[in-house]
């Protein structure tokens, strides 16, 4: 005989029941009255429910009474009603008089009796957490486990979830925060967990969550926990004992709900549990310190863990029913005190008591400061007297809502260190005792990203330090001070004073300083701000303007809510603002009447003859979907382009997401402030549209001029990058480089306005060779955008339009044929390439394209045909020219080859006219052609080679350009 039971449910049984095959470790002389035990748990449970309602207002009390009724029936006059088809019904539930009275206070409803349904949608309802404990107040939220029938279909579960959400929304109208969790006891027992969100730990913890449930959960309606009926000394044989009770009909399976026993907590669970508590510690550090330290005590005792839930069960089985002794939070602090006193860690002990006191939030230094039920106050007095706390200590803690930034920073440091140290211990424990963590990779990523966003220290980050400690850090007076000897700013929480004070914050940018004060709620509507700056035009008027902008950007310093779904993907920009030339005037160092500023160049990014970039300093303030606030400061030469790259970086590599919101640009006191703000806003708009809204398989480039510097922006490795050149010829060389993809170049609206290039690139077409020519006096500028958008430029003497076009037409045809030799026939890249010709004219100061000219290859030729082939042998290039049937080669003429060819061509012209020699066909050296992959040769390769040869020939003619 293993254990014996007595129950009113099975009158045919004897008091001594032999289970035959029970484990031999079970004692033989235990006698338990199951009915007595169940009633004892139910009585304790009801008294805790009563305590819960004591702390609530009448409408909130009605919620507790109505809660089971709302899921038992579908009544259109009750909160949360969706339809008659919504799954409803709670096992073994009959509405109490309190529930019916509460329903009648909402509507004239009666007649709720015991419903006999073929099946019940809900097995049990539990309230989990602090409800009914010393830690519960009218401001506490309620986490409710809605344990449903495992046979519900996916559609029925969805409908039940919608009803729960509707009830959550109704609860908000009575100032009650409620969170429902749909629980399947069968799946939970098998180890399946729900999705991680701000309220649910997902796979981060399972057994530890169940341990907390068993000692804190309040049974509201339906099936009571089977765990109540298994004696604590039989916990290791939980499954066997429970099955035996059911088989012997001492309990009925439809009276209980089974989540499993607590004989063992796997070691691999401690890592996830620790990570979850650090995550929760971002917003509730005091509560999380208590919970993570409990995890630490369990890990230290592993594998023989003294679980609090088993302490609780042992106490109930021993006959203890006094609520103060069984209070889960009192049991928690007792357990932690035992642990720290045993280890003689007195500083941590003091911290834990402080966390406990602030979590409970029952001010003892003043009577009646907040609405507190008497028993909570009396219980807390018993504890603090035992701790030996003084009135001074109590007053300090009770005034924590008014703590200033210095105290808060010190407190935050202590709390973060405690959370971090306990987490590291649990992490090391997990690696030592378990090969794998029980937490899923997805949940691990979500928790890790949230911790990174909250705690990672970065220079540009505006860290939020008050959260979870105080409501705000409001100061009546602050002083912003600029250090005289270096570019640094200080923030002091006082009016200006001659006495040296320790600053509460230091930053290299005044925007960083002001934003930090604003988002930490140091600056309020009544804050008096003083400014001490060294010889700058920065004044309090500009400070107040910055603060007004911040209020518009994030009212009351509130960050957007963080959805867990945001943490499943990289952070995205949800807000941006840009401050230009704060506290400086870039024109101050220039004489406004000076010759450097006399010009028709009115672009504020390249102003006057000196091409001045008037955006001297920039502060880019960003808000991300991970609840981060960042400020990036930039100066001088590359600052504007760096800020643009930073802005586009966040959403650039995430396809399928919306482009980031455009930044609002602000500039206040400097010259051309309005023009600067508008110009930079236009630039950001153009760049965002080009790089993020017109995504194609093309290579995207953006050409911008700031000051005297040309910037070519492009995408590489999921980020926006750039090259900068001071000479336009260097940019031209970059544009001439071959490309494996079509190059779509966008030229900023104010850039290169004195050249036809913006017009050319607006005409650019893929798979089309486009030649543009512009006659300038005796010369002609030739621009070719080839089939992939690479630019070829040549300036030469102009002789005849028809000759120019026809010789290029023949050259293009020959080059395309030559290129096909190196292309693979099956390649999709071997597409037919068109050829177009255009003339550029300058009319009234603007470039215009005229006369789209078609190929004239069918017309009679009026030019001399020159074909060239070459080869490289032992680093020596040999050429062969074919001039209207006559051949000239390096083997025949050696170093005089180019002179001989030039002389021959000149001799064939009428009257020996000296106009440029045009090559009509080139065959690339095999070594050059083979050095490139098949299908990568393009027209610019042939044109560049053609120009090199033509330059040598024309040099022999002694031609000079104007």
């Amino acid at each position: 005989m293993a254990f014996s039971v007595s129950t009113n449910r099975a009158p045919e049984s004897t008091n001594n029941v032999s289970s035959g095959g029970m484990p031999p470790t079970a004692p033989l002389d235990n006698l338990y009255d199951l009915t007595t035990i169940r009633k004892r748990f139910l009585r304790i449970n009801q008294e805790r429910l009563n305590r819960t309602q004591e702390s609530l207002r009448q409408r909130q009390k009605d919620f507790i009474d109505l809660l089971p009724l709302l899921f038992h029936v579908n009544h259109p006059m009750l909160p949360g009603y969706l339809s008659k088809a919504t799954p409803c019904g709670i096992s073994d539930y009959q509405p109490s008089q309190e529930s019916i009275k509460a329903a009648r206070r909402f509507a004239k409803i009666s007649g709720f009796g015991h419903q006999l349904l073929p099946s019940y949608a809900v097995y049990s309802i539990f309230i989990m957490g602090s409800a009914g404990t010393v830690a519960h107040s009218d401001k506490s939220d309620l986490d409710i486990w809605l344990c449903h029938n495992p046979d519900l279909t996916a559609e029925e579960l969805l409908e039940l979830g919608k009803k729960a959400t509707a009830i959550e929304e109704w609860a908000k109208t009575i100032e009650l925060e409620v969170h429902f969790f749909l629980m399947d006891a069968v799946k939970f027992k098998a180890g399946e967990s729900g999705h991680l969100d701000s309220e649910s730990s997902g796979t981060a913890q399972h057994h530890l969550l169940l341990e907390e449930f068993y000692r804190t959960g309040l049974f509201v309606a339906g099936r009571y926990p089977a765990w109540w009926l298994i004696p604590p000394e039989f916990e290791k044989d939980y499954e066997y004992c429970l099955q035996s009770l059911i088989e012997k009909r001492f309990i009925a399976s439809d009276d209980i709900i089974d989540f499993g026993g607590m004989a063992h907590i796997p070691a691999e669970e401690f890592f996830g549990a620790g990570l979850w508590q650090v995550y929760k510690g971002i917003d509730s550090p005091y509560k999380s310190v208590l919970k993570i330290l409990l995890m630490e005590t369990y890990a230290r005792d592993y594998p023989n863990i003294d679980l609090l839930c088993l302490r609780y069960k042992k106490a109930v089985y021993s006959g203890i029913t006094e609520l103060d002794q069984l209070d889960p939070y009192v049991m928690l602090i007792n357990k932690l005190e035992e642990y720290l006193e045993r280890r003689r860690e007195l500083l941590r002990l003091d911290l834990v008591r402080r966390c406990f006191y602030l979590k409970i939030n029952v001010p003892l230094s003043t009577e009646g400061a907040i609405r507190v039920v008497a028993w909570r106050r009396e219980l807390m007095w018993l504890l603090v007297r035992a701790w030996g706390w003084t009135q001074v200590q109590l007053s300090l803690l009770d005034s924590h809502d008014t703590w200033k930034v210095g105290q808060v920073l010190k407190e935050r440091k202590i709390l973060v260190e405690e959370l971090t140290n306990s987490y590291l211990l649990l992490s090391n424990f997990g690696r030592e005792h378990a090969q794998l963590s029980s937490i899923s990779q997805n949940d691990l990523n979500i928790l890790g990203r949230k911790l990174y966003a909250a705690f990672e220290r970065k220079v540009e980050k505006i860290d939020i330090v008050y959260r979870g400690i105080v409501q705000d850090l409001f100061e009546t007076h602050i002083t912003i001070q600029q250090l005289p000897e270096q570019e640094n700013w200080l923030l002091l929480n006082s009016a200006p004073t001659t006495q040296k004070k320790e600053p509460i914050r230091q930053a290299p940018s005044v925007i960083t300083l002001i934003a930090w004060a604003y988002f930490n709620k140091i600056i309020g509507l009544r804050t008096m701000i003083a400014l001490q700056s060294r010889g700058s035009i920065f004044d309090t008027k500009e400070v107040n303007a910055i603060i007004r902008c911040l209020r518009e950007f994030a009212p009351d310093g509130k960050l957007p809510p963080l959805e867990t779904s945001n943490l499943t993907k990289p952070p995205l920009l949800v807000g941006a603002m840009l401050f230009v030339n704060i506290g400086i005037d870039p024109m101050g160092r220039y004489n406004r009447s000076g010759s450097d500023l006399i010009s028709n160049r009115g672009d504020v990014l390249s102003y006057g003859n000196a091409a001045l970039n008037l955006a001297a300093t920039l502060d880019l303030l960003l808000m991300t979907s991970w609840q981060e606030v960042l400020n990036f400061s930039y100066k001088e030469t590359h600052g504007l382009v760096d800020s643009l790259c930073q802005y586009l970086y966040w959403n650039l590599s995430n396809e399928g997401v919306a482009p980031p919101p455009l930044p609002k640009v602000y500039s206040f006191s400097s010259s051309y402030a309005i023009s600067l703000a508008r110009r930079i806003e236009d630039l950001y708009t153009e760049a965002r549209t080009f790089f993020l809204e017109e995504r194609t398989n093309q290579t995207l480039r953006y050409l911008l001029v700031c000051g005297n510097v040309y910037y070519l922006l492009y995408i590489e490795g999921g980020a926006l990058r750039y090259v900068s050149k001071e000479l336009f010829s260097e940019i031209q060389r970059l544009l001439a480089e071959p490309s494996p993809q079509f190059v779509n170049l966008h030229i900023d609206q104010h850039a290169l306005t004195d050249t036809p290039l913006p017009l050319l690139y607006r005409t650019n077409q893929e798979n089309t060779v486009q030649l543009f020519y512009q006659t300038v006096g005796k010369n002609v500028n030739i621009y070719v955008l080839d089939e992939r958008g690479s630019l070829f430029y040549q300036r030469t003497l102009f002789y005849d339009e028809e000759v120019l076009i026809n010789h290029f037409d023949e050259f293009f045809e020959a080059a395309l044929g030559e290129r096909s030799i190196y292309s693979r026939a099956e390649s999709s890249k071997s597409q037919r390439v068109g050829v177009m010709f255009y003339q550029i004219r300058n009319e009234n100061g603007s470039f215009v394209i005229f006369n789209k000219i078609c190929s004239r290859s069918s017309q009679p030729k009026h030019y001399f045909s020159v074909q060239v082939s070459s080869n490289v042998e032992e680093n020596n290039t040999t050429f062969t020219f074919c001039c209207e049937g006559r051949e000239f080669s390096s083997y025949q003429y050696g170093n005089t080859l180019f002179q001989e060819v030039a002389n021959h061509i000149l001799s064939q012209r009428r009257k020996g006219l000296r106009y440029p020699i045009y090559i009509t066909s080139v065959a690339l050296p095999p070594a050059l052609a083979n050095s490139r992959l098949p299908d990568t040769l393009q027209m610019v390769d042939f044109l560049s080679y053609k120009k090199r040869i033509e330059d040598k020939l024309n040099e022999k003619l002694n031609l000079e350009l104007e």
Side-chain angles (χ1 to χ4, degrees), residues 719-773:
L720 188 64
R721 308 183 189 280
Y722 66 86
V723 291
S724 61
K725 301 293 182 182
E726 294 187 0
L727 298 176
F728 178 64
S729 59
E730 296 177 312
I731 286 293
Q732 276 188 309
R733 278 196 289 273
L734 291 175
L735 299 180
E737 291 178 352
S739 171
Q741 290 180 313
F742 177 71
V743 176
N744 183 354
L745 175 69
H746 181 90
I747 299 177
D748 178 71
Q749 58 182 317
H750 293 278
L752 307 184
T753 54
D754 55 348
T755 78
L757 284 182
L759 182 62
L760 269 56
Y761 275 98
R762 287 197 294 271
T763 314
N764 196 11
Q765 298 177 39
E766 189 172 3
N767 289 318
T768 302
V769 176
Q770 298 169 286
L771 182 144
F772 306 83
Y773 70 95

Side-chain angles (χ1 to χ4, degrees), residues 523-543:
I523 296 175
L525 293 174
R526 302 187 313 277
T527 302
M528 301 294 293
I529 301 173
L531 181 64
Q532 295 176 331
S533 60
R534 53 177 179 84
S536 76
I537 61 172
F538 193 49
D539 56 19
T540 54
K541 179 181 177 182
E542 194 164 358
V543 172

Side-chain angles (χ1 to χ4, degrees), residues 1-5 16-19 22 26-30 32 34 229-231 234 240-242 244-245:
M1 181 179 68
F3 73 97
S4 302
V5 297
N16 296 318
V17 179
S18 174
S19 19
M22 293 292 288
L28 305 179
D29 56 352
N30 286 281
Y32 292 106
L34 296 184
L229 302 185
I230 305 302
F234 287 87
Y240 195 98
C241 294
L242 179 60
S244 178
L245 289 175

Side-chain angles (χ1 to χ4, degrees), residues 387-536:
W387 299 340
W389 279 9
T390 65
Q391 188 68 23
V392 173
Q393 288 173 287
L394 292 175
S395 297
L396 176 63
L397 294 177
D398 289 343
S399 65
H400 77 280
D401 277 340
T402 63
W403 284 356
K404 297 305 179 184
V405 65
Q407 180 71 27
V408 169
L409 288 172
K410 179 181 177 182
E411 184 81 347
R412 183 175 187 265
K413 182 175 183 293
I414 294 171
L415 292 170
V416 171
E417 284 180 355
E418 179 62 29
L419 287 168
T420 303
N421 290 337
S422 289
Y423 166 71
L424 290 175
L425 183 145
L426 294 173
S427 178
N428 292 333
F429 169 83
R431 282 192 291 268
E432 182 180 346
H433 291 87
Q435 293 182 345
L436 297 173
S437 170
S438 61
I439 185 172
S440 73
Q441 187 60 46
N442 181 64
D443 286 355
L444 184 63
N445 290 340
I446 290 173
L447 292 174
R449 287 169 173 176
K450 175 65 175 177
L451 297 178
Y452 173 86
F455 293 128
E456 180 70 12
R457 300 296 300 271
K458 293 185 285 190
V459 174
E460 65 274 7
K461 189 170 183 177
I462 309 295
D463 53 324
I464 312 300
V465 301
Y466 76 92
R467 190 162 51 187
I469 300 175
V470 293
Q471 293 298 315
D472 61 57
L473 292 171
F474 173 74
E475 293 284 354
T476 56
H477 292 81
I478 65 168
T479 299
I480 297 173
Q481 186 180 93
Q482 187 176 20
L483 290 178
E485 59 281 341
Q486 56 184 337
E487 292 293 327
N488 239 343
W489 295 81
L490 306 179
L491 181 69
L492 290 80
N493 57 338
S494 68
T497 177
T498 56
Q499 297 179 349
K500 188 172 182 179
K501 286 200 65 177
E502 189 71 22
I504 59 175
R505 185 71 174 182
Q506 181 171 330
S509 159
V510 71
I511 292 295
T512 300
L513 204 70
I514 295 173
W516 183 85
Y518 177 75
F519 282 100
N520 279 290
K521 301 188 178 182
I522 292 172
I523 296 175
L525 293 174
R526 302 187 313 277
T527 302
M528 301 294 293
I529 301 173
L531 181 64
Q532 295 176 331
S533 60
R534 53 177 179 84
S536 76

Side-chain angles (χ1 to χ4, degrees), residues 11 106 211 248 263 272 277 315 318 340 402 478 493 504 695 725 743 821 899 906:
F106 283 90
E211 190 275 335
K248 301 295 184 181
Q277 289 309 324
S318 68
L340 295 173
T402 63
I478 65 168
N493 57 338
I504 59 175
R695 294 188 180 184
K725 301 293 182 182
V743 176
I821 297 174
Q899 187 65 63
L906 190 61

